[in-house]
Amino acid sequence: MAESSNSDANSRKRRKIDPDSQTRWRSEAEQRIYSSKLMDALHHVRRPGSGGHDAVRDAADRVLAASARGRTRWSRAILTNRLSLRLAQINRKHKKAAKPSAGKSCSRKPAKKLPPVESKVKVLSRLVPGCRKVSLPNLLEETTDYIAALEMQVKAMTFLTGLLNAGAAAPA
Amino acid sequence: MEPNVEAVQPQFRSGISGTKPGGMGFVFDDIHGLIPGPPETDGTSFTALLELPPPQAVELLVKEDFPAKSMPPPIFPSNIALIDRASMFSVFASADNPPESTNILSVSSSMKTDSVKQEPLESEHHRNSSSPAVSNQSLKSIKRKEREKKVKESSKKSKKLEANEASDGSGEQLPYVHVRARRGQATDSHSLAERARREKINARMKLLQDLVPGCNKSLQISGTAMVLDEIINHVQALQRQVEFLSMRLAAVNPRIDFNLDALLAVESESSIDNSYLGMFPPSIWPEGQLNSSRQQQPWLLDGLHPGRVDDTSNFITQENSLLSYDSPPNSASLHSSQLKMEL
C-alpha cells in the first residue's frame, strides 16, 4: 500500500508519506524487524569504553531510520547526518564556551514574528531531525511519522532491555 | 484621445463577432460610448448594441448604469478603475440587478466549453494583472459560476485555476464550500490557495491529535498553540525515554554475550507483542519455557505454570552449554566487530 501511494505521489512530483503511518509503525512485523536489527547493531557496539549510552542511542536511532526505508525526511536526515552532526556538536560546544549565553538570547528576542504558534513550530522543527526548513504541512506529516516511530522504538527497547536483563540475571 | 478611440474601433468590430471574447471588447465599448467623441462612434456603438444578442446587450446596459452614475472622465485607465468599482459593487451588493445579470450571464455562458476555455485565459490575465477590467470580468464570471453551479462543478473549475490545489481538491469537498462563503476578497486566487493550505494543515493537525494522547479533549482544533504544545511535550518525552532506555541497554550491554544468540533464536519465533506486559521479574521463567519448548505462547501465561522448576534447571543447563559453545565464536565476533567499529 505504501508503494502504490508512492507511485502516485511521484507522478505529482511530491513524495508523500503513506497516510496510515500509525499502522505501519505498529505492525508486529515492523517491531520484529526493528528488534532483530537492533540486536545486530548492539552486537557491533559492544566496545564498553566508547560513548556508552550515546552510542547505543545513536545505534537505535539509526536502526529506526533504516527501517523507515528512506521515505521520510527525518529518517534520511538521521542516516546521513551521523558524522556531520557529531562535528557540529563539537563545534557548538567550543562556541558555547566562548560566547556568553546572554548574547544568544538577545540576538533571538527581537524577532520579526512574535506569534506563539510560529515559535512553537520552530521548536518542533528543531526536535524532529532534519526538518528545520520544512514547510508547515510537511512538518506536521513528518512529526506524525516520527512520533509513531518513536513509540515503536520505545516499545522495542523496553522489551529488549527486559529481555537482556532477565536473561543476564538468570545464570547469576 | 481620438487616435485612441480609432485604434480601439477595430477591436470593437472584432469583439462583436465573438461571443464571450466579445465581452471584453464590450467593456471598452462602454468607455468609448461615454467619451464625447465624434458622432460616428456613438452611432456605431448603438448599431453594435442592436446587433448583439439580447442577453449581452442587457448586460451592457446594466453595466452602463454604473459608469454613467459616476463621472465620465475621458482618460482610459481611470474608466477602468470606475468599472472596477462598479464590478465590486455589483458583487458585494446582493441586490436585484446583479442576480438578474448573473442569470443572464449564466444562460449565455452555459456553453461550458467556451466558458471553460475562457476561464484559464481570464485567470491568466487576472494573475498577471495586466488589465484589471478583464480580470474583474473574469472574477465576476468565476464568482457567478460559483454561485450558480453547486459545489462540485465550481470546485472543478477553481481547481483548474489553482494548479497547486489540484491534487488536494478531489479528496476534500469542504474547502470549496468555504471558498464560496469567502468570495468577497480582493484577490480570489490567493484566498483560495490560502484556504486550501489551511485545510491541509488542519487535517494533519487532526491526525497528530489522534496520535498524541493528551489532545483529544476539545473537539475543535483548539488553538493551534495548545495542540502544538502537547505535541512538543510528547516528542520530548519520547526522546527522553529513548535516551533513558539506551542508558539501560548500555548498562546491560557487556552481558549480552551470554544470551545473544539464544535470544535471537527466541525472538525470531515468538510474538514480541505479548511479551511487553510481563517483563521484568517473571520473565525469567517464560524465557526458560520458550527455550525448552520452542513454542509460540504468551509469555505471561508461561510464568504461571506449576512445573517450572525442572524447566529452569533445563534452562540453566542449556545456558551453560550455550556459554561454553558460544565463547570462542563470541570472542572471534568481538574482534571482527571491533574492526567494523573502527571502520
Side-chain angles (χ1 to χ4, degrees):
Chain A
M1 75 185 153
E3 281 76 17
S4 62
S5 68
N6 248 349
S7 59
D8 286 338
N10 284 334
S11 64
R12 293 179 215 149
K13 285 186 189 174
R14 183 178 164 248
R15 208 185 296 191
K16 252 187 185 175
I17 311 171
D18 55 338
D20 33 354
S21 57
Q22 300 191 21
T23 53
R24 195 178 112 207
W25 287 111
R26 284 187 188 166
S27 69
E28 226 178 79
E30 198 68 48
Q31 282 167 339
R32 216 172 296 171
I33 293 172
Y34 179 69
S35 315
S36 50
K37 281 193 183 171
L38 186 56
M39 292 294 278
D40 269 340
L42 286 177
H43 259 296
H44 298 307
V45 190
R46 235 185 292 148
R47 207 160 42 165
S50 74
H53 59 277
D54 260 340
V56 173
R57 176 167 179 254
D58 287 341
D61 284 341
R62 252 180 287 140
V63 175
L64 187 67
S67 27
R69 286 190 189 90
R71 259 182 250 128
T72 52
R73 192 173 274 266
W74 57 264
S75 61
R76 274 173 271 151
I78 288 180
L79 288 173
T80 52
N81 287 350
R82 256 185 302 153
L83 291 172
S84 54
L85 248 180
R86 287 270 173 182
L87 288 173
Q89 278 177 0
I90 293 169
N91 288 335
R92 253 181 263 154
K93 278 178 191 170
H94 289 309
K95 281 186 184 173
K96 265 186 185 175
K99 264 190 188 177
S101 59
K104 269 189 187 175
S105 60
C106 283
S107 65
R108 272 181 203 166
K109 265 181 187 173
K112 302 173 198 171
K113 296 184 187 178
L114 203 51
V117 182
E118 185 72 28
S119 64
K120 280 170 192 162
V121 166
K122 279 189 186 166
V123 171
L124 186 60
S125 67
R126 257 186 281 142
L127 279 180
V128 182
C131 284
R132 295 202 186 187
K133 297 186 181 177
V134 174
S135 60
L136 185 55
N138 286 337
L139 179 61
L140 292 177
E141 259 194 73
E142 295 283 329
T143 311
T144 319
D145 206 54
Y146 188 56
I147 289 180
L150 275 181
E151 283 184 2
M152 193 206 78
Q153 192 181 20
V154 164
K155 275 189 202 169
M157 287 179 70
T158 323
F159 160 68
L160 272 179
T161 314
L163 203 59
L164 294 174
N165 268 331
Chain B
M1 250 183 298
E2 289 187 7
N4 283 340
V5 171
E6 288 166 1
V8 176
Q9 270 195 357
Q11 194 182 9
F12 168 75
R13 294 260 177 217
S14 60
I16 295 173
S17 54
T19 53
K20 193 61 178 167
M24 287 188 265
F26 297 149
V27 174
F28 302 146
D29 297 333
D30 272 346
I31 301 160
H32 297 291
L34 293 173
I35 295 171
E40 300 165 349
T41 47
D42 289 340
T44 48
S45 63
F46 281 132
T47 51
L49 266 180
L50 288 175
E51 285 171 27
L52 279 179
Q56 282 164 345
V58 176
E59 173 200 359
L60 257 186
L61 289 172
V62 168
K63 277 191 202 163
E64 271 184 6
D65 288 337
F66 292 87
K69 284 172 189 169
S70 46
M71 290 179 6
I75 307 171
F76 196 69
S78 58
N79 273 335
I80 294 180
L82 284 174
I83 291 182
D84 279 354
R85 265 182 255 157
S87 60
M88 297 282 273
F89 292 146
S90 69
V91 164
F92 280 114
S94 59
D96 297 336
N97 274 338
E100 287 171 358
S101 52
T102 58
N103 287 328
I104 291 159
L105 232 196
S106 65
V107 166
S108 67
S109 61
S110 60
M111 300 166 265
K112 287 184 188 177
T113 53
D114 295 337
S115 55
V116 168
K117 280 177 197 167
Q118 290 312 311
E119 267 192 277
L121 281 176
E122 291 170 359
S123 66
E124 284 171 14
H125 286 299
H126 170 60
R127 278 201 200 124
N128 298 332
S129 66
S130 55
S131 50
V134 173
S135 67
N136 277 317
Q137 262 284 331
S138 66
L139 265 179
K140 261 201 237 176
S141 57
I142 291 166
K143 287 168 187 173
R144 280 166 190 166
K145 274 170 193 146
E146 285 179 356
R147 263 195 239 162
E148 296 304 313
K149 297 153 192 172
K150 291 306 171 182
V151 181
K152 293 172 191 172
E153 295 178 11
S154 67
S155 69
K156 273 187 200 165
K157 276 165 194 167
S158 49
K159 256 198 256 177
K160 282 174 192 169
L161 295 179
E162 324 293 333
N164 294 335
E165 317 311 321
S167 55
D168 288 325
S170 56
E172 313 174 70
Q173 297 270 330
L174 284 172
Y176 296 105
V177 177
H178 290 293
V179 158
R180 280 176 34 185
R182 290 177 177 252
R183 227 175 347 97
Q185 294 197 9
T187 47
D188 221 24
S189 64
H190 289 304
S191 55
L192 274 175
E194 253 193 57
R195 175 48 43 181
R197 182 176 163 265
R198 279 287 145 193
E199 287 303 322
K200 258 199 274 182
I201 290 176
N202 288 339
R204 302 223 172 107
M205 294 279 285
K206 271 187 197 168
L207 277 179
L208 270 173
Q209 271 187 309
D210 296 334
L211 204 47
V212 174
C215 274
N216 284 328
K217 291 175 186 173
S218 56
L219 287 175
Q220 52 160 343
I221 303 168
S222 75
T224 324
M226 304 280 287
V227 177
L228 277 178
D229 253 345
E230 287 294 322
I231 292 170
I232 288 174
N233 283 337
H234 193 58
V235 169
Q236 278 174 336
L238 283 174
Q239 280 178 340
R240 262 182 275 140
Q241 264 185 317
V242 167
E243 274 202 50
F244 181 62
L245 281 171
S246 69
M247 233 177 11
R248 294 186 74 178
L249 259 183
V252 178
N253 236 359
R255 291 190 278 171
I256 286 182
D257 323 349
F258 306 130
N259 303 324
L260 220 43
D261 298 320
L263 291 174
L264 274 174
V266 160
E267 269 179 44
S268 60
E269 291 174 1
S270 70
S271 57
I272 297 173
D273 250 354
N274 296 325
S275 68
Y276 286 171
L277 293 176
M279 247 177 301
F280 294 96
S283 59
I284 305 172
W285 317 113
E287 271 182 51
Q289 295 291 321
L290 272 168
N291 273 334
S292 56
S293 58
R294 301 278 176 181
Q295 286 173 12
Q296 287 198 13
Q297 287 176 7
W299 289 29
L300 262 181
L301 294 180
D302 281 343
L304 301 175
H305 285 186
R308 46 185 187 183
V309 180
D310 306 331
D311 295 36
T312 54
S313 60
N314 280 338
F315 176 61
I316 290 171
T317 53
Q318 276 188 0
E319 266 244 307
N320 287 333
S321 62
L322 283 169
L323 254 180
S324 56
Y325 180 68
D326 282 341
S327 44
N330 269 342
S331 56
S333 61
L334 258 177
H335 290 304
S336 60
S337 63
Q338 279 177 2
L339 283 171
K340 284 178 194 172
M341 276 290 293
E342 288 169 20
L343 279 173

